[in-house]
Amino acid sequence: MKHNPARLLLPLLSVGVLILTSCGTSAKAASINELLPEVNTAVAETLTAEPTNTPTPTPTLTPTPTPTETPTPTATPTSTSIPSYSYTCNASAFVADVTIPDYSEVAPGETFRKTWLLENTGTCVWDQSYRMGFVGGYGMSGNPKKIGQTIYPGQEAYLTVDFTAPDTAGQYISYWRLGTKQGALFGTSVYVAINVPYDLVQPTSTSLPTNTPLPTATLTPTPLPPTPTPTATETLTPTLPPPTNTPAPTNTPTPTPTRDHRDHWGRRGR
């Protein structure tokens, strides 16, 4: 148990006062001088034995600020996705489109060359036989060219493919990847996208069918049967008898009519 030094001094002072009061005046001065060293020694020993309790300051708790979540920025899609670096033998990453920006206008049937810049992100060396390989979309008669040089890890290379635009208007896209001379494709996919405008497409003329003349039939005249010759018909003329002389009529006297004279009374006249 710890003691307060002030409480220990009070008994010592009280003892000193009693001694002084019990002696004379001259003795008092001598006794005080003799007792002071002892008192000082006792006080010093007491202070050494009982160190003063120094109150330890209570630490003030500083509130830890709550971390604010920083929104993750949305990645803007680029021409092709760039994969993270890997420790595989063959790996590639898209760097840039060198020719034919996305959806460039190309005339129908026109040949064009697409070139990409790729980086070797693997651990193996690309030899001169490496070239692009078709993955999907419209092939457009793609003809890949060999890389033609040695590319070490961390270096960049230009990869080229020759294309021919379709004859039909529309938008076309073709996907490709880098491959070894054995044909094993690897790394990120890249593409070429073109637009064949409608106004550049020539309308296809529909030719009318040529009228093929029908073979002319040769008509062989069929001989008609001979016309029968009409047989002459005898006309019989009737023979009339000679005319008979008709005697002239005899003059017959014409009777004279008799007049009947009657009066109005119905009587005959004379």
Side-chain angles (χ1 to χ4, degrees):
M1 180 176 178
K2 296 181 180 181
H3 300 282
N4 191 348
R7 292 180 181 180
L8 297 176
L9 291 175
L10 290 176
L12 294 175
L13 292 175
S14 298
V15 172
V17 171
L18 291 176
I19 294 173
L20 292 175
T21 54
S22 61
C23 300
T25 305
S26 60
K28 292 179 180 179
S31 299
I32 292 173
N33 292 330
E34 293 176 358
L35 292 175
L36 284 177
E38 296 179 1
V39 172
N40 291 335
T41 302
V43 171
E45 292 177 355
T46 303
L47 293 176
T48 304
E50 299 291 338
T52 304
N53 291 330
T54 303
T56 303
T58 303
T60 303
L61 297 178
T62 304
T64 303
T66 303
T68 303
E69 294 183 358
T70 304
T72 304
T74 303
T76 304
T78 56
S79 177
T80 55
S81 60
I82 300 176
S84 59
Y85 285 83
S86 63
Y87 294 97
T88 58
C89 175
N90 285 317
S92 65
F94 169 80
V95 178
D97 286 312
V98 180
T99 61
I100 311 297
D102 291 349
Y103 296 104
S104 299
E105 290 190 355
V106 182
E110 179 182 354
T111 58
F112 61 95
R113 175 169 291 183
K114 175 67 180 184
T115 301
W116 300 275
L117 182 62
L118 301 181
E119 181 182 356
N120 185 351
T121 58
T123 59
C124 292
V125 178
W126 300 349
D127 59 32
Q128 299 182 3
S129 63
Y130 280 45
R131 60 182 177 180
M132 302 299 288
F134 178 67
V135 177
Y138 293 90
M140 292 187 287
S141 302
N143 182 20
K145 305 299 181 183
K146 293 182 180 180
I147 193 172
Q149 55 182 326
T150 301
I151 304 299
Y152 293 91
Q155 293 183 341
E156 297 176 350
Y158 294 95
L159 283 304
T160 300
V161 180
D162 291 338
F163 294 95
T164 302
D167 295 330
T168 306
Q171 292 181 346
Y172 301 89
I173 187 169
S174 183
Y175 295 92
W176 295 74
R177 293 175 69 187
L178 185 60
T180 63
K181 60 182 178 181
Q182 290 80 15
L185 303 180
F186 63 88
T188 184
S189 296
V190 295
Y191 66 84
V192 57
I194 64 169
N195 178 31
V196 179
Y198 286 92
D199 54 353
L200 296 181
V201 177
Q202 298 294 331
T204 304
S205 59
T206 304
S207 58
L208 296 176
T210 305
N211 293 327
T212 304
L214 297 175
T216 305
T218 303
L219 298 177
T220 303
T222 303
L224 297 175
T227 304
T229 304
T231 304
T233 304
E234 296 181 355
T235 303
L236 299 176
T237 303
T239 304
L240 296 178
T244 305
N245 293 328
T246 303
T250 307
N251 290 332
T252 304
T254 301
T256 301
T258 304
R259 296 182 62 184
D260 188 9
H261 297 284
R262 293 173 186 256
D263 56 12
H264 60 281
W265 286 287
R267 293 178 296 183
R268 292 179 182 272
R270 296 181 178 176

